[in-house]
């Protein structure tokens, strides 16, 4: 178990360094693809692996946005969320930060303060309903709404979204956290409706149920995908002719799972803050700072 904990801690330490370096790169006019590739490359240089593609979600986008292989977009005066994951031997640390180029500091502070108050009350034996309630009331005290249908989550080996989920608002039924649980707490605050929906574009997938495929090109792609095990991967990580066609087929067969970009229903701006913590007897310890 100590060996496992030290792998989580190493993943978290590498991730904290990567986050700091990445934040410096987010500037008006900088390329999104440049930032994503920078993040994913330095994770490898530091001896770990990305646990999922570097998510760069802007403004009303909440999550699951990452640049495509030939993306030419650059940052404007955006509210930018960087959501980054690192794994060491399958043990994952997950963090997110908002870099605000849009001059909405109080919306950024709402999700940061909610994360702080959630971390303050987290300990073995607490119910996730209490964590959700404090996140909701903190965000509302700033005059904003939490995004009700996005949650934090537990982390398990090779599983970036394990149970239980950590709600961002008060819910009827929660789970009791145990000593040693590794959880990612990630409040999202918005000046919009407080709800997100899937939009059309997909750049991120993960392997769901491997099945035999006949088409040689699909077999070849599936072998590459299997290298990521059950962790999400980016389309741009898989240079291959007719990639979209083959991925669509694999998705229809239930072999891969697609993550469409999630956008705020009323077009509101969204801020996000996230840390990974280890639940302890009398509190919790942040591993991503
Ligand atoms: Co997360």
């Amino acid at each position: 178990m100590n060996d496992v904990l030290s792998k989580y801690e190493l993943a978290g330490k590498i991730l904290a360094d990567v986050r700091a370096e990445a934040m410096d790169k987010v500037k008006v006019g900088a390329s999104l693809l440049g930032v994503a590739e920078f993040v994913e490359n330095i994770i490898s240089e530091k001896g770990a692996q990305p646990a999922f593609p570097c998510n760069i979600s802007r403004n009303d986008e909440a999550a699951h946005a990452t640049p495509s292989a030939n993306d030419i977009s650059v940052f404007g005066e955006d509210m930018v969320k960087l959501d980054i994951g690192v794994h060491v031997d399958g043990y994952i640390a997950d963090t997110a930060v908002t870099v605000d180029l849009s001059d909405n500091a109080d919306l950024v502070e709402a999700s940061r303060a909610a994360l702080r108050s959630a971390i303050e009350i987290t300990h073995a034996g607490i119910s996730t309903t209490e964590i959700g309630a404090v996140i909701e009331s903190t965000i509302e005290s700033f005059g904003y709404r939490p995004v009700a249908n996005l949650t934090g989550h537990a982390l398990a080996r090779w599983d970036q979204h394990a149970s239980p989920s950590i709600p961002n608002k008060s819910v009827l039924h929660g789970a009791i956290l145990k000593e040693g649980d590794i959880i990612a707490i990630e409040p999202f605050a918005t000046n919009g409706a407080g709800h997100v929906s899937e939009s059309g574009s997909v750049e991120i997938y993960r392997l769901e149920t491997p099945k035999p495929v006949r088409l040689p090109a699909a077999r070849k792609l599936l072998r590459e995908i299997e290298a990521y095990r059950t962790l999400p991967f980016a389309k741009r990580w898989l240079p291959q002719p007719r990639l979209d066609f083959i991925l669509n087929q694999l998705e229809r067969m239930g072999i891969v799972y697609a993550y469409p970009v999630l956008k705020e229903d009323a077009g509101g701006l969204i801020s996000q803050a996230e840390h990974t913590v280890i639940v302890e007897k009398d509190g919790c310890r942040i591993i991503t700072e």
Side-chain angles (χ1 to χ4, degrees), residues 52 83-84 94-96 151-153 155 160-161 184-186 188 272 274-276:
F52 48 84
D83 195 333
I84 311 172
D94 188 355
T95 193
T151 66
H153 47 90
L155 292 157
Q160 186 247 335
H161 235 282
I185 306 177
E186 50 180 320
F188 293 81
Q272 177 195 16
E274 178 180 24
H275 272 307
T276 299

Side-chain angles (χ1 to χ4, degrees), residues 12-211:
K13 189 184 171 313
I14 290 171
L15 181 50
D17 292 345
V18 171
R19 182 186 57 224
E21 292 184 51
M23 288 173 74
D24 286 343
K25 303 272 177 196
V26 177
K27 295 194 169 97
V28 173
S31 135
L32 274 71
L33 182 59
V35 171
E37 288 182 335
F38 170 80
V39 164
E40 292 159 8
N41 290 338
I42 53 168
I43 291 171
S44 311
E45 281 165 24
K46 290 174 191 289
Q49 293 299 319
F52 48 84
C54 176
N55 278 223
I56 305 178
S57 306
R58 288 179 295 169
N59 304 325
D60 62 335
E61 296 170 342
H64 304 163
T66 200
S68 62
N70 40 25
D71 208 307
I72 54 161
S73 43
V74 296
F75 294 106
E77 289 176 355
D78 297 320
M79 179 160 288
V80 180
K81 282 80 66 185
L82 295 176
D83 195 333
I84 311 172
V86 162
H87 80 84
V88 171
D89 196 23
Y91 300 101
I92 302 163
D94 188 355
T95 193
V97 67
T98 301
V99 182
D100 182 32
L101 309 174
S102 75
D103 200 18
N104 283 282
D106 60 329
L107 180 54
V108 178
E109 187 49 30
S111 54
R112 289 176 51 125
L115 176 59
R116 279 197 303 273
S117 31
I119 287 171
E120 241 160 58
I121 64 163
T122 295
H123 59 85
I126 197 173
S127 166
T128 57
T129 59
E130 288 180 64
I131 299 175
V134 80
I135 289 173
E136 180 173 34
S137 65
T138 306
I139 290 173
E140 284 178 352
S141 75
F142 283 81
Y144 298 114
R145 292 195 169 103
V147 176
N149 62 330
L150 289 174
T151 66
H153 47 90
L155 292 157
R157 195 179 188 199
W158 302 114
D159 186 358
Q160 186 247 335
H161 235 282
S163 280
S165 58
I166 313 296
N168 286 324
K169 56 167 289 187
S170 91
V171 292
L172 279 180
H173 302 287
I176 304 294
L177 296 181
K178 300 183 306 295
E179 191 175 352
D181 283 350
I182 315 285
I183 59 166
I185 306 177
E186 50 180 320
F188 293 81
T190 181
N191 58 8
H195 192 275
V196 293
S197 299
E198 295 183 346
S199 84
S201 71
V202 180
E203 290 293 334
I204 301 177
Y205 294 83
R206 79 172 149 74
L207 182 62
E208 191 165 40
T209 313
K211 289 176 200 167

Side-chain angles (χ1 to χ4, degrees), residues 232-246:
F233 59 88
K235 213 155 77 173
R236 69 183 146 78
W237 292 356
L238 302 165
Q240 169 158 347
R242 296 164 73 220
L243 178 62
D244 282 322
F245 170 77
I246 301 166

